[in-house]
Amino acid sequence: MKVLHIESGRHLYGGAKQVLYIMEGLAQRGVENLLACPPGAHIAQPARASAQVFELPMKGDLDFGLVGRLRRLIAAEQPDLVHIHSRRGADLWGGLAARRAGVPCVLSRRVDNPEPRWLVKLKYRLYDHVITISQGIRQVLLAEGLAPEQVSCVRSAVDPKPYLIDYDPAGFKAALGLAPDALLVGTVAQLIPRKGHRHLLAALPAVLAKHPRLQVLIFGRGPLEAELRQAISDQGLSGQVRLLGFRDDLPAVLGCLDLLVHPADMEGLGVSLLQASAARVPIIATRAGGMPEAVRDGRNGLLIAPGDVAGLAAAMNRLLDDAALRQTMGQAGRQLVLNEFSIDAMCEGNLAVYRRLLNA
């Protein structure tokens, strides 16, 4: 079996990492992988271990020429199936290229934001099957009119091995110039509006009143960085909140957190939630999208309503007050990831969809 994967993202964020995991697993199962990605994309170099990589210009939704470039690649390489993993024009133009070439096409849907029913009706006829990374996203698509037999859920996965280590919280705090008894709360997300950083900043005064030695570490980068930095300053939080940017060594430090907070307004599943659980860090997230599938309320974390600042503050205070509860939830989270979010299960799920389409 030969599969052409299309990934238009330039950075190796959660979605692109999932593509790497899938291609590595498929290669181990005898599948020949091809990857089309933008020139200089961070996925290109690591992908070469499990795929033949083709770097093509991918300029977004208005890049009409992408249809021709992908069509020529399909004609030259003759894949049995095309799997589109991202949006930003790759979904529409990739679907059109596969349709014109007469090659079965699968779309992975990683976000839970709704689309107009008329657009769903037009766009999704390009795909022979849609794979969602959570049941929450699958329900969004069914509510928009897709037939149940056209949509499967294959949950995202995380490689737990980098997080199954002995962490050194005291050393990490010392490197940041913090006291050994400081409590650490972190967020790991792109700095974009729907990740809900503003809710965390709004909740902090009520939390700092009870936990004045609390430190908040914000991992990630994005277009909101300058705005967030200004908000932190304006709200007098510069001594308690740090923007740490994108960290390549995240697996080495994530388990040093006492708590991960992810107050997103929308989220397909949340790979950072799986990573935190693998590192035995309890989580506070919202009941949006697929997050309740990654965070089981009362088991490996607490769930609140999206945008509920008072509820977020109360949940943070509850967990920060109770070290034993944090430890219990952290251990339960690791077991959840090991049991339900394995890379093997994700690869087998995608491969089962491929085989159904090709056999049909």
Side-chain angles (χ1 to χ4, degrees):
M1 186 190 300
K2 182 190 286 191
V3 178
L4 169 62
H5 304 269
I6 303 174
E7 167 57 52
S8 63
R10 297 187 177 276
H11 301 291
L12 200 53
Y13 292 144
K17 276 190 172 294
Q18 298 299 308
V19 180
L20 271 182
Y21 292 153
I22 290 170
M23 292 192 301
E24 289 168 359
L26 292 176
Q28 292 167 5
R29 291 161 172 81
V31 175
E32 181 179 353
N33 295 301
L34 314 171
L35 172 67
C37 64
H42 294 172
I43 192 176
Q45 187 56 41
R48 289 190 170 92
S50 54
Q52 187 177 357
V53 177
F54 300 87
E55 298 185 46
L56 305 177
M58 296 184 184
K59 303 173 184 177
D61 292 332
L62 299 180
D63 185 7
F64 305 105
L66 184 55
V67 176
R69 292 191 289 275
L70 289 172
R71 178 69 184 87
R72 287 190 290 275
L73 178 60
I74 293 170
E77 296 298 328
Q78 296 290 304
D80 299 298
L81 183 139
V82 173
H83 189 163
I84 301 169
H85 294 274
S86 56
R87 297 183 298 163
R88 293 181 290 276
D91 51 355
L92 177 60
W93 306 127
L96 280 171
R99 178 67 64 180
R100 290 181 178 178
V103 177
C105 184
V106 173
L107 174 74
S108 279
R109 172 77 182 253
R110 301 187 176 278
V111 295
D112 63 338
N113 54 297
E115 296 174 301
R117 290 180 70 94
W118 65 266
L119 178 60
V120 170
K121 187 174 182 180
L122 287 175
K123 186 172 92 171
Y124 285 85
R125 67 176 58 176
L126 294 172
Y127 316 116
D128 296 274
H129 204 80
V130 180
I131 298 174
T132 66
I133 64 167
S134 69
Q135 289 290 350
I137 300 175
R138 184 173 187 269
Q139 291 306 315
V140 168
L141 291 178
L142 296 183
E144 292 171 347
L146 260 66
E149 61 271 16
Q150 191 186 353
V151 191
S152 298
C153 171
V154 180
R155 286 176 175 155
S156 288
V158 64
D159 179 5
K161 291 192 292 291
Y163 304 94
L164 306 180
I165 61 176
D166 292 326
Y167 285 95
D168 180 17
F172 180 58
K173 292 172 188 177
L176 293 174
L178 300 175
D181 61 346
L183 287 167
L184 297 184
V185 169
T187 67
V188 180
Q190 294 182 64
L191 306 184
I192 55 178
R194 67 183 179 89
K195 299 298 184 179
H197 296 87
R198 65 193 182 282
H199 304 314
L200 174 58
L201 297 185
L204 280 181
V207 181
L208 289 167
K210 293 192 67 177
H211 303 279
R213 300 181 72 82
L214 176 70
Q215 289 286 313
V216 176
L217 310 178
I218 298 178
F219 297 92
R221 60 188 170 200
L224 280 188
E225 181 174 349
E227 182 179 324
L228 270 175
R229 199 176 296 279
Q230 188 63 51
I232 290 166
S233 176
D234 291 346
Q235 295 174 41
L237 297 171
S238 298
Q240 292 80 32
V241 182
R242 306 185 186 202
L243 294 173
L244 296 184
F246 182 82
R247 295 279 296 252
D248 287 322
D249 65 341
L250 185 64
V253 301
L254 187 59
C256 296
L257 299 177
D258 295 290
L259 178 63
L260 184 90
V261 175
H262 194 69
D265 298 315
M266 307 173 74
E267 188 67 82
L269 181 64
V271 171
S272 66
L273 307 182
L274 304 181
Q275 293 169 333
S277 283
R280 291 193 295 201
V281 178
I283 302 165
I284 297 173
T286 67
R287 295 184 187 88
M291 284 185 284
E293 297 169 50
V295 180
R296 311 294 166 82
D297 192 28
R299 181 177 169 190
N300 65 320
L302 299 175
L303 294 174
I304 61 169
D308 182 3
V309 171
L312 175 57
M316 290 177 67
N317 279 328
R318 177 184 171 190
L319 289 182
L320 292 173
D321 283 339
D322 194 336
L325 180 59
R326 295 198 305 271
Q327 183 176 13
T328 299
M329 286 185 166
Q331 187 58 47
R334 173 171 288 183
Q335 203 58 51
L336 176 67
V337 168
L338 294 176
N339 291 346
E340 298 189 25
F341 294 92
S342 74
I343 292 175
D344 276 344
M346 180 178 67
C347 292
E348 287 294 337
N350 280 274
L351 189 54
V353 171
Y354 299 170
R355 286 171 174 156
R356 283 203 307 270
L357 290 180
L358 296 179
N359 288 339

